[in-house]
Amino acid sequence: MTIGIDKIGFATSNYVLKLDDLAEKRGIDPEKLSKGLLLKELSIAPITEDIITLGASAAESILSEKDKQEIDMVIVATESGTDQSKAAAVFIHGLLGIQPFARSFEIKEACYGATAALDYAKLHVKQYPQSKVLVIASDIAKYGAHTPGEPTQGAGSIAMLISQNPRILSFNEDNVAQTRDVMDFWRPNYSTTPFVNGIYSTQQYLDSLKSTWAEYQQRHKVSLKDFAAYCFHLPYPKLALKGMKKIMDKTLPEDQQQILKDNFDKSILYSQKVGNIYTGSLFLGLLSLLENSDNLKAGDKIVLFSYGSGAVAEIFSANVVDGYEQQLSTTRLQELDQRLPVSIPDYEQMFFEEAQLDENGNAYFSGYENQVYALTEIAEHQRKYIKVEKPL
Ligand code: HMG
């Protein structure tokens, strides 16, 4: 039995911040962002869009009514959750109308969480082959205005349906994980934005990549020549490019090195326009690769590097399934170009807005007509969501 990704969907907000505009306003050279970080745009979420609406939208874009009757586990990986107790997965389970006898919960370890969720999903389907598991990676990455991390913010969600006989990718049994207790990036409960040791975090990322990759190769007796593409966690694409260069095997034939480089370029296209979406970033890279590569074929092996600050890293691989392209979109880049550009003052107001609750814990929101799902109000401290009937 093969187990893997049968469907994969993506949702982001309808607003975009152009990084050339940000550079101009902050008085920095635009090339520092376009070439130094390899970023072009960021998705900006308004208060009515959170990890629950984005997660539900990503899932809605791929699920049939039959899937909703067959899913028996919903896992949401996030580090920007809306509640310390109630899991985002429970809200999403309800919004999507998934059959009631399902297990729904949230999982956390910075940007790494969705990788653990996939492994749990794989084990579950192995035990119950008729099961389908919905894994959602959903985050809004906010560092704050005028911070070094500001150009690496973003918002978005990836939804993956895990089943037997998957139609996109089948997982291999080769995961190698590494944990190291470091303070490179963390967000205490009392803070809405993370504390970051920026340069140290990049060193941890690269060193985790190098050492986990060495262990992976040694355990599984494989090398880069065995893979058609390498997907990385993408806090910003330039760091992944550094990672790619670090592990590139210069003894490979030129054409094979070129295929890996071309596929890397295809894997960063979406992130360059969306920014960091934490738990979903690696899988947004995977989606970008699958939807844009012109050389991937059935049986090709893709290796994935997951990294979550704190830190946990994991490397695992999956095989491309025959006909995979039929499950994917060909219009994603054009759709991203339809987001509404926001000015810097609008971004600063919109992205960092906090709910102003009255004395009874109520707040009302508007302006969500073009979303798929929306947070419409907080009523006595309870978040209320709707599915927008016909988004504009
Ligand atoms: P910075 O101030 O942009 O750093 O902060 P910089 O001054 O080193 O510049 C960045 C690059 O731009 C450098 O290139 C410069 O040379 C280049 P590099 O040397 O690295 O190749 N540059 C220029 N290029 C062209 N024209 C110019 C120019 N000027 C400079 N004129 C930093 C960068 C990453 C520190 C910041 O963005 C940050 O703090 N980001 C947030 C943390 C982060 O993303 N860390 C990544 C690793 S940790 C991780 O991946 C986990 C995470 O996703 C969270 C989680 O797990 O939950 C973050």
Side-chain angles (χ1 to χ4, degrees):
M1 176 174 54
T2 58
I3 300 171
I5 301 176
D6 188 55
K7 295 182 177 181
I8 178 166
F10 170 61
T12 190
S13 59
N14 292 318
Y15 300 97
V16 61
L17 175 67
K18 308 267 184 188
L19 287 187
D20 280 358
D21 296 345
L22 184 70
E24 192 189 331
K25 191 74 177 179
R26 299 287 183 254
I28 52 179
D29 182 352
E31 292 206 340
K32 178 175 178 188
L33 309 184
S34 63
K35 294 196 172 140
L37 302 179
L38 283 179
L39 281 169
K40 297 175 180 165
E41 299 169 347
L42 306 178
S43 280
I44 298 302
I47 200 163
T48 52
E49 193 88 87
D50 63 14
I51 62 137
I52 290 168
T53 62
L54 288 169
S57 303
E60 186 68 42
S61 73
I62 54 169
L63 297 183
S64 65
E65 285 311 311
K66 186 166 176 288
D67 292 330
K68 291 178 188 177
Q69 293 311 311
E70 290 172 350
I71 289 169
D72 65 356
M73 184 145 76
V74 181
I75 315 176
V76 174
T78 187
E79 56 174 304
S80 44
T82 56
D83 194 295
Q84 292 281 13
S85 292
K86 181 163 173 166
V90 175
F91 284 99
I92 293 176
H93 171 277
L95 285 168
L96 294 172
I98 288 171
Q99 63 86 20
F101 298 100
R103 179 185 289 161
S104 303
F105 60 96
E106 203 168 292
I107 200 164
K108 180 183 72 179
E109 170 21 49
C111 299
Y112 163 76
T115 301
L118 285 183
D119 207 46
Y120 186 21
K122 181 173 78 178
L123 292 171
H124 181 77
V125 175
K126 194 184 275 184
Q127 196 170 5
Y128 306 101
Q130 300 312 317
S131 290
K132 290 184 175 177
V133 181
L134 177 61
V135 171
I136 295 175
S138 194
D139 270 304
I140 298 182
K142 291 183 193 176
Y143 288 90
H146 304 275
T147 60
E150 185 176 28
T152 70
Q153 301 175 118
S157 178
I158 290 278
M160 293 172 274
L161 189 65
I162 308 307
S163 72
Q164 66 169 330
N165 302 323
R167 286 172 286 179
I168 297 178
L169 285 179
S170 65
F171 296 138
N172 295 312
E173 299 281 344
D174 60 356
N175 300 44
V176 173
Q178 177 179 176
T179 297
R180 45 173 77 178
D181 186 0
V182 292
M183 296 303 277
D184 60 333
F185 169 110
W186 67 104
R187 184 164 70 82
N189 287 345
Y190 50 78
S191 180
T192 53
T193 51
F195 292 79
V196 195
N197 285 328
I199 300 302
Y200 180 60
S201 74
T202 64
Q203 291 161 351
Q204 287 300 324
Y205 174 107
L206 292 172
D207 191 63
S208 292
L209 168 65
K210 196 172 142 206
S211 49
T212 313
W213 177 234
E215 180 71 15
Y216 177 89
Q217 288 184 98
Q218 195 259 328
R219 278 197 206 176
H220 298 296
K221 310 285 175 265
V222 290
S223 67
L224 207 49
K225 72 171 173 12
D226 300 303
F227 300 96
Y230 210 125
C231 287
F232 298 85
H233 168 51
L234 294 166
Y236 54 94
K238 180 70 175 293
L239 186 58
L241 179 62
K242 284 188 185 177
M244 183 78 198
K245 287 182 177 160
K246 219 177 199 18
I247 54 134
M248 182 53 84
D249 179 353
K250 301 274 169 27
T251 65
L252 285 180
E254 283 277 311
D255 57 339
Q256 205 178 347
Q257 287 190 45
Q258 196 54 49
I259 287 177
L260 287 162
K261 285 179 190 159
D262 289 347
N263 280 338
F264 175 83
D265 290 344
K266 296 291 161 49
S267 77
I268 64 173
L269 291 175
Y270 297 166
S271 292
Q272 288 184 301
K273 288 174 156 292
V274 172
N276 192 358
I277 56 165
Y278 290 159
T279 46
S281 286
L282 166 62
F283 305 100
L284 185 59
L286 174 65
L287 184 66
S288 185
L289 169 77
L290 292 169
E291 292 187 340
N292 296 286
S293 169
D294 39 29
N295 61 54
L296 276 186
K297 54 187 186 319
D300 276 351
K301 226 169 154 184
I302 299 173
V303 59
L304 296 98
F305 169 65
S306 178
Y307 178 81
S309 284
V312 178
E314 188 158 324
I315 292 180
F316 62 105
S317 77
N319 293 358
V320 176
V321 174
D322 190 22
Y324 74 98
E325 62 282 349
Q326 288 159 32
Q327 307 305 318
L328 299 167
S329 164
T330 51
T331 55
R332 195 95 53 189
L333 285 169
Q334 292 94 303
E335 282 160 24
L336 286 172
D337 287 340
Q338 282 162 16
R339 287 168 302 168
L340 211 61
V342 289
S343 66
I344 303 300
D346 284 352
Y347 139 70
E348 287 176 352
Q349 193 278 327
M350 183 190 285
F351 202 41
F352 303 111
E353 183 181 359
E354 295 285 335
Q356 302 301 318
L357 299 177
D358 67 17
E359 66 277 13
N360 297 316
N362 300 312
Y364 304 92
F365 309 114
S366 58
Y368 44 74
E369 298 76 14
N370 58 357
Q371 295 177 207
V372 180
Y373 287 90
L375 173 71
T376 57
E377 64 178 295
I378 299 175
E380 296 180 358
H381 301 285
Q382 298 175 30
R383 296 173 82 81
K384 302 287 181 188
Y385 295 93
I386 60 159
K387 183 172 185 193
V388 179
E389 275 318 311
K390 282 191 185 141
L392 294 179

